[in-house]
Amino acid sequence: MASQVWRDAYRGMSSDNIKGLILALSSSLFIGASFIVKKKGLIKAGASGTRAGVGGYSYLLEPLWWVGMITMIVGEIANFAAYAFAPAILVTPLGALSIIISAVLAYIILREKLHIFGILGCALCVVGSTTIVLHAPQERQIESVAEVWDLATEPAFVLYAVLVLIFVFIIVFLYIPIYGQTHIMCYIGVCSLVGSLSVMSVKAVGIALKLTFSGMNQLVYPQTWVFTFIVLLCVITQMNYLNKALDTFNTAVVSPIYYTMFTSLTILASVIMFKDWSGQSPTQIVTELCGFVTILSGTFLLHKTKDMVDGPTTVSGRSPKRIAEEDDEDGGQEGTPLRRQDLRV
């Protein structure tokens, strides 16, 4: 009975969805592995020169670091291509698998600790991803980039885009100057809101390139270049405010919150623009949402326990060894759990 369900689910996936799934999985594999390769390169470069953490750039002369960078670029290209074949509701949540791959490889190669709850988090991500893959909607058949433009200019998506821009401007000009250094949602909010528009534009450009390579030149359409400009503008904005968030707050807090907001808003934008759920039953939609929530739970659990080790722990959940290391790093100063320590004099 179970095998019959799997066969039916597999047959239900279109060839484009399968291509998108393979590209998304490949992207997670390359990106997850790239973090480990780059870290190995940083460790090797730091042993013979100035560490990157204290302002050194010796890693630029380390071939292993460049191998990691190239691996990450390949992964990002695969992720870009995945959006051209599969709906965002299938591709975007699978990005969590790169976290699993990175954690597992760090345990195997770098000998970093992986807490039992971290393993549980990995399992939850796999279960959630499988649930989404088995119930993901079919990719919409689009014949030209002009058709994507028509979808993007429908009243519902125009309203969404306008609301996104209004919220972004309010956060940037009213809230960030006052609360940017103390409230993590300011920077993350801008990144996630703009990111949802960037993914829709990336998908449009990806579709245009896919059709062009198949013999239907889409580069002659001005809409292709408008979408390309939007991608560049959104990505630059995202990177700017994501860097601000990472520089101000702990990465362990930024990563899961950003993943949650970015993925949620991207799915919402895709549902509005490409009407991903229009041909699905309520049961399928609820199942996909349950899979997404499962991935979120696994991601938070993995990040929350990544610095925990098996053995004696304090009430805060950190081992005595970890606390001693943090005290040495921070000079014995205390700080808020979300903020990074400000060590500048």
Side-chain angles (χ1 to χ4, degrees), residues 283-340:
T283 302
Q284 289 175 306
I285 295 173
V286 171
T287 304
E288 289 166 17
L289 291 176
C290 289
F292 178 50
V293 172
T294 304
I295 294 176
L296 294 183
S297 302
T299 303
F300 271 95
L301 190 58
L302 186 58
H303 276 280
K304 185 68 176 176
T305 61
K306 72 174 187 175
D307 289 330
M308 294 173 61
V309 295
D310 292 322
T313 58
T314 63
V315 175
S316 65
R318 297 176 299 169
S319 67
K321 180 181 178 182
R322 178 62 184 169
I323 293 177
E325 290 174 351
E326 291 178 354
D327 288 342
D328 290 339
E329 292 172 359
D330 298 336
Q333 296 178 355
E334 296 182 357
T336 58
L338 294 183
R339 285 292 304 276
R340 291 181 56 177

Side-chain angles (χ1 to χ4, degrees), residues 18-231:
I18 294 174
K19 292 175 184 176
L21 173 62
I22 293 173
L23 286 168
L25 293 175
S26 301
S27 171
S28 295
L29 176 62
F30 280 112
I31 293 175
S34 71
F35 289 120
I36 306 304
V37 177
K38 286 199 297 181
K39 186 163 184 176
K40 289 282 287 185
L42 289 170
I43 293 173
K44 190 175 179 180
S48 58
T50 306
R51 293 176 55 240
V54 293
Y57 294 96
S58 58
Y59 63 87
L60 294 176
L61 302 177
E62 175 55 50
L64 193 59
W65 183 86
W66 283 106
V67 171
M69 179 58 68
I70 293 172
T71 304
M72 175 172 280
I73 292 173
V74 172
E76 293 295 349
I77 292 174
N79 187 58
F80 177 90
Y83 282 109
F85 292 96
I89 194 172
L90 171 61
V91 176
T92 307
L94 293 181
L97 296 181
S98 64
I99 302 174
I100 298 177
I101 293 170
S102 179
V104 172
L105 291 179
Y107 174 77
I108 297 173
I109 298 175
L110 300 178
R111 305 300 181 187
E112 294 184 358
K113 298 294 183 181
L114 184 60
H115 193 269
I116 185 65
F117 288 129
I119 297 175
L120 177 59
C122 292
L124 287 173
C125 288
V126 172
V127 171
S129 299
T130 303
T131 302
I132 290 178
V133 167
L134 292 178
H135 297 87
Q138 301 296 333
E139 171 69 346
R140 186 189 186 101
Q141 295 300 315
I142 295 177
E143 302 299 330
S144 74
V145 72
E147 187 177 341
V148 182
W149 180 262
D150 291 339
L151 293 173
T153 53
E154 287 188 356
F157 188 75
V158 169
L159 176 61
Y160 173 80
V162 169
L163 289 175
V164 165
L165 293 176
I166 290 175
F167 282 124
V168 167
F169 280 115
I170 290 175
I171 295 173
V172 169
F173 293 107
L174 294 182
Y175 287 95
I176 286 182
I178 302 174
Y179 303 109
Q181 296 297 307
T182 56
H183 289 68
I184 192 173
M185 297 305 294
C186 292
Y187 292 138
I188 297 299
V190 173
C191 293
S192 303
L193 288 166
V194 174
S196 66
L197 296 181
S198 72
V199 169
M200 297 302 101
S201 301
V202 162
K203 186 171 179 65
V205 174
I207 291 173
L209 293 176
K210 180 181 73 172
L211 293 174
T212 299
F213 292 144
S214 66
M216 296 180 287
N217 187 10
Q218 303 295 305
L219 301 181
V220 297
Y221 290 95
Q223 292 94 328
T224 300
W225 301 105
V226 172
F227 282 125
T228 302
F229 174 76
I230 294 174
V231 169

